[in-house]
Amino acid sequence: MKVLVVGSGGREHALCWAIAKSPKCDELYCAPGNAGTASVARNVDVDSEDLDGIIAFVQDNAIDFVVVGPEAPLVAGLVDRLDALGIKSFGPTAAGAELEGSKAFTKDLCAKYDIPTADYDRFDEPDAAKEYIRTHGAPIVVKADGLAAGKGVIICRNVNEAYAAVDQIMIEEAFGHAGAEIVVEQFLEGEEASFFALVDGETALPMIGAQDHKRAYDGDEGPNTGGMGAYSPAPIIDAAMTERVMTEIIEPTIKGMAAEGRPYKGVLYAGLMIDEAGPKLIEYNARFGDPECQVMMMRLKSDVLEALLACAEGRLAETKLEWRDEAAMLVVMAAKGYPGKYQKGTEIKGLEAADAVEGAVVFHAGTAAEGDRVVATGGRVLGVTAMGKDVKEAQTRAYQAVDALDWPEGFCRRDIGWRAIDR
């Protein structure tokens, strides 16, 4: 079959890398892709948010199945348009993707269906938000309601920081229209983890756990980012915790969405905070995490294309996933300055040497090919990933691959996986 993957990040490179192995896949395309996807798929010069362009390409090239990677085209309704044309796709409709598109919607759904999450309120006016903050004190979390490329969450250590966060989002419009409404919520303490389940509207199939590192610098210091590294398995997501998350969070969400007339299909990504009392939902994403997708695709033994098709066709109840016992670790190489201002167009050398490290695969994110050169085009540029018998061996190999790169304009954290190794 002909398959199109939509997106240009490390997540999409990992999906293409895994889908290309499927005997079901005859032709594989990626729109727009990057320098890495070009090695396993044909890149298509159509932006992931150009819905008209994607639809035209799908029709002109008789694409059988579309896998939507990023959140923006999902929230914008790409799956709805594909459904209307009778073209199979992986991902939720716009109504389902509201779980990521609106934090306030998700919090209200949690309240209605008794899904454990932080106490909160939602505001469309700054003064009311500040009064809530004054009453509840700090630490406290201020979130832009809409899509903000993973950067719309501000953890505030004191009340003045929280007031400033409200002004930054609502008055200075740091995240544009995404901040027209905000959620202010209780600061949760514990251990963060990422939990993924495939969903076909009725059945939810849990995947393996992963943990990422959101802060930019070693020791979990610095600003939040889209993720500076990830590893799997996540020791905190054992069999007992998986059952609790499915029973207390995922399944009530799937039933609640169906009851609201928004049946959910695709992957449901729950960002969790876990403490002695159990798991609480921080937020939902309506797509695979990036960088978690990369380590999950490395560990997946099953045919990923068959699993994604089962979601689209409502066959998850008869689907099983097999996983490798080995651990996987990913270290993000980012452009210096990220998540602030950074330079584009710098050349990355040593990619072949990094890929040659035992167990290693370099997934591309913000890259482009210029002739024989590979150049950086984004903030998070590479996901240097490796397998090992345990997290420690995977970590050692991943950093060996990092050290094989020649890119002075890049940086990475040097402590990815510390929680699992400390255990």
Side-chain angles (χ1 to χ4, degrees):
M1 67 191 316
K2 291 184 176 182
V3 181
L4 171 67
V5 174
V6 176
S8 62
R11 166 184 51 228
E12 288 75 37
H13 186 186
L15 288 169
C16 286
W17 176 83
I19 290 169
K21 298 177 182 180
S22 172
K24 289 180 174 288
C25 182
D26 299 311
E27 294 180 35
L28 180 59
Y29 301 86
C30 190
N34 57 43
T37 60
S39 66
V40 288
R42 293 187 207 174
N43 285 351
V44 179
D45 189 17
V46 179
D47 188 85
S48 62
E49 296 184 39
D50 178 5
L51 270 56
D52 290 339
I54 292 169
I55 294 295
F57 178 82
V58 166
Q59 291 181 303
D60 291 346
N61 292 273
I63 298 296
D64 300 298
F65 188 51
V66 181
V67 178
V68 187
E71 62 274 20
L74 292 169
V75 171
L78 177 56
V79 167
D80 304 70
R81 293 185 60 176
L82 292 166
D83 283 350
L85 295 169
I87 297 164
K88 291 178 186 176
S89 62
F90 176 80
T93 62
E98 190 81 348
L99 281 172
E100 179 165 5
S102 171
K103 294 179 177 65
F105 169 82
T106 298
K107 298 295 284 192
D108 288 351
L109 187 87
C110 288
K112 184 172 181 178
Y113 293 97
D114 296 321
I115 298 162
T117 188
D119 294 336
Y120 77 102
D121 207 341
R122 54 191 290 183
F123 302 95
D124 57 11
E125 198 278 318
D127 289 343
K130 290 178 181 178
E131 177 59 25
Y132 181 90
I133 291 164
R134 187 191 67 77
T135 303
H136 287 78
I140 200 163
V141 183
V142 181
K143 298 180 175 182
D145 174 59
L147 295 180
K151 300 178 181 71
V153 177
I154 303 175
I155 298 169
C156 308
R157 292 165 294 182
N158 57 57
V159 167
N160 286 335
E161 281 187 7
Y163 291 163
V166 172
D167 289 342
Q168 180 185 351
I169 296 173
M170 302 195 80
I171 296 174
E172 298 164 25
E173 299 182 347
F175 306 110
H177 184 68
E181 187 172 356
I182 63 172
V183 169
V184 182
E185 68 179 32
Q186 169 195 12
F187 175 77
L188 296 177
E189 296 193 68
E191 188 169 338
E192 279 194 61
S194 302
F195 189 95
F196 298 85
L198 295 179
V199 185
D200 67 3
E202 295 181 359
T203 301
L205 181 65
M207 304 182 80
I208 50 167
Q211 283 183 287
D212 74 342
H213 297 257
K214 292 293 189 191
R215 298 285 186 159
Y217 310 126
D218 286 10
D220 291 327
E221 298 290 333
N224 266 343
T225 71
M228 293 300 293
Y231 58 92
S232 175
I236 199 166
I237 305 287
D238 57 15
M241 184 57 66
T242 294
E243 187 172 345
R244 284 196 66 178
V245 174
M246 290 297 291
T247 301
E248 298 173 23
I249 295 176
I250 301 295
E251 289 169 0
T253 299
I254 300 310
K255 291 175 182 174
M257 290 293 282
E260 297 293 319
R262 300 169 178 259
Y264 190 92
K265 284 187 176 185
V267 63
L268 189 56
Y269 163 16
L272 304 174
M273 187 67 78
I274 301 172
D275 62 13
E276 301 80 15
K280 285 188 176 180
L281 179 71
I282 301 173
E283 62 186 21
Y284 272 129
N285 293 305
R287 35 73 191 183
F288 283 109
D290 188 342
E292 294 97 332
C293 182
Q294 291 89 305
V295 293
M296 294 169 71
M297 291 302 106
M298 289 280 279
R299 292 191 63 210
L300 182 63
K301 285 175 69 176
S302 302
D303 183 335
V304 69
L305 181 54
E306 171 55 34
L308 303 184
L309 278 166
C311 273
E313 296 171 354
R315 296 186 287 105
L316 273 186
E318 60 194 58
T319 301
K320 290 185 178 180
L321 297 176
E322 290 187 59
W323 303 93
R324 292 181 173 84
D325 293 332
E326 297 97 327
M329 167 86 69
L330 176 146
V331 178
V332 167
M333 287 294 294
K336 287 179 179 176
Y338 174 82
K341 292 182 179 179
Y342 52 84
Q343 184 180 356
K344 295 183 180 181
T346 57
E347 184 177 2
I348 305 163
K349 299 178 181 178
L351 287 163
E352 288 185 5
D355 269 321
V357 171
E358 184 178 359
V361 177
V362 179
F363 291 113
H364 291 233
T367 68
E370 292 186 354
D372 294 334
R373 303 163 70 242
V374 173
V375 299
T377 60
R380 292 188 300 159
V381 177
L382 301 171
V384 183
T385 313
M387 297 279 286
K389 65 179 184 293
D390 53 28
V391 173
K392 180 62 178 174
E393 183 175 79
Q395 183 193 56
T396 298
R397 289 176 174 176
Y399 281 111
Q400 283 176 350
V402 165
D403 292 336
L405 293 167
D406 178 9
W407 184 38
E409 296 83 7
F411 81 99
C412 69
R413 282 183 57 163
R414 284 279 168 179
D415 63 347
I416 301 302
W418 67 265
R419 283 190 187 89
I421 292 166
D422 278 358
R423 285 176 184 264

